[in-house]
Amino acid sequence: MPVDRPVHPVSPAPVAAFDFDGTLSVGDSLQDFARYSLGRAGWLWAALRTVPALLAWRVGLGSRQQAKQAFLRACWGGQDGAALQALGERYARERLPQLLRPEMLEQVQQHRALGHRLVLVSASPAFYLRPWALQAGFDAVLATELDLQGRFTAHLHRPNCWGPHKVERLAGWLNTEPVALAYAYGDSRGDREMLACAHHPWLRGSGLPLPPLF
């Protein structure tokens, strides 16, 4: 299992944290990966089987994480983990780049040119985000870690990387508390805690332009 460790523990370089789904991408990458790997019919069948868990979450009888695990199990439960990992790497090469927002890629590139440390913080699975993000120049990927040893069971190595858990993962990577970020980019309620840690927070849909970089 990947371990979050500080990449440059004594570096003063500013840190920029990016959410992925809806922020860097135009939509939900997990749903897109499901359609990519299962086809539209397979994805719809998995979504239908997840409805009871989704309803339980919505009425307070279950959690967001349990609903997510139910969807993961419906899609890929019982599949060989190594084969799923390979499929994720192929998705990262062939399909994921098509979801990216050009203006956000430019923002990432500007951060890199200034020597900023980049970290991707996402509730989506790390097994397909990490190959793309490391190739794109991110220093670390803090995302939902799935157990891909043997047959896939939808077991999570640690809590779903959403909301306050994003800050917990950042604290582990930076090896410091409280978390202090120079920049943070998000698009939803799941990014609120992370954005609150940033000197320059940016929320998609707020009407504000992307922050100038220093």
Side-chain angles (χ1 to χ4, degrees):
M1 178 183 72
V3 177
D4 302 339
R5 292 193 179 97
V7 175
H8 303 295
V10 297
S11 171
V15 175
F18 287 81
D19 169 58
F20 188 80
D21 295 290
T23 302
L24 284 172
S25 76
V26 295
D28 187 313
S29 65
L30 180 57
Q31 298 299 323
D32 189 71
F33 177 66
R35 289 190 292 269
Y36 175 87
S37 62
L38 303 174
R40 182 172 177 81
W43 164 68
L44 285 172
W45 176 234
L48 285 172
R49 289 194 290 160
T50 310
V51 167
L54 287 172
L55 291 176
W57 165 44
R58 292 298 187 184
V59 299
L61 298 177
S63 67
R64 175 185 292 270
Q65 178 166 311
Q66 288 170 333
K68 184 171 195 169
Q69 287 178 284
F71 179 71
L72 293 168
R73 195 176 300 112
C75 288
W76 304 289
Q79 290 193 20
D80 179 71
L84 188 57
Q85 174 75 56
L87 183 60
E89 292 172 359
R90 193 176 79 192
Y91 173 78
R93 292 192 306 271
E94 296 180 354
R95 170 63 182 166
L96 198 60
Q98 300 174 37
L99 304 181
L100 301 173
R101 298 177 185 271
E103 76 279 8
M104 297 306 296
L105 280 180
E106 183 178 349
Q107 192 79 354
V108 168
Q109 292 163 1
Q110 289 182 26
H111 278 290
R112 286 183 61 192
L114 290 168
H116 297 173
R117 285 184 287 164
L118 301 177
V119 55
L120 187 65
V121 191
S122 175
S124 287
F127 76 91
Y128 64 73
L129 287 180
R130 184 170 285 113
W132 170 79
L134 296 182
Q135 184 275 330
F138 281 82
D139 294 280
V141 177
L142 310 179
T144 298
E145 300 285 357
L146 307 181
D147 185 357
L148 298 180
Q149 300 296 315
R151 294 291 174 182
F152 181 63
T153 64
H155 173 71
L156 306 187
H157 277 304
R158 56 178 74 188
N160 188 35
C161 190
W162 186 91
H165 294 296
K166 290 194 172 190
V167 177
E168 291 178 11
R169 295 289 298 277
L170 283 163
W173 179 65
L174 292 166
N175 196 28
T176 183
E177 289 190 72
V179 171
L181 305 169
Y183 300 87
Y185 301 83
D187 79 305
S188 71
R189 163 64 186 86
D191 302 311
R192 186 173 69 185
E193 290 84 355
M194 181 176 76
L195 293 173
C197 297
H199 187 63
H200 298 286
W202 182 81
L203 180 68
R204 181 171 296 284
S206 65
L208 296 175
L210 287 167
L213 306 186
F214 303 96

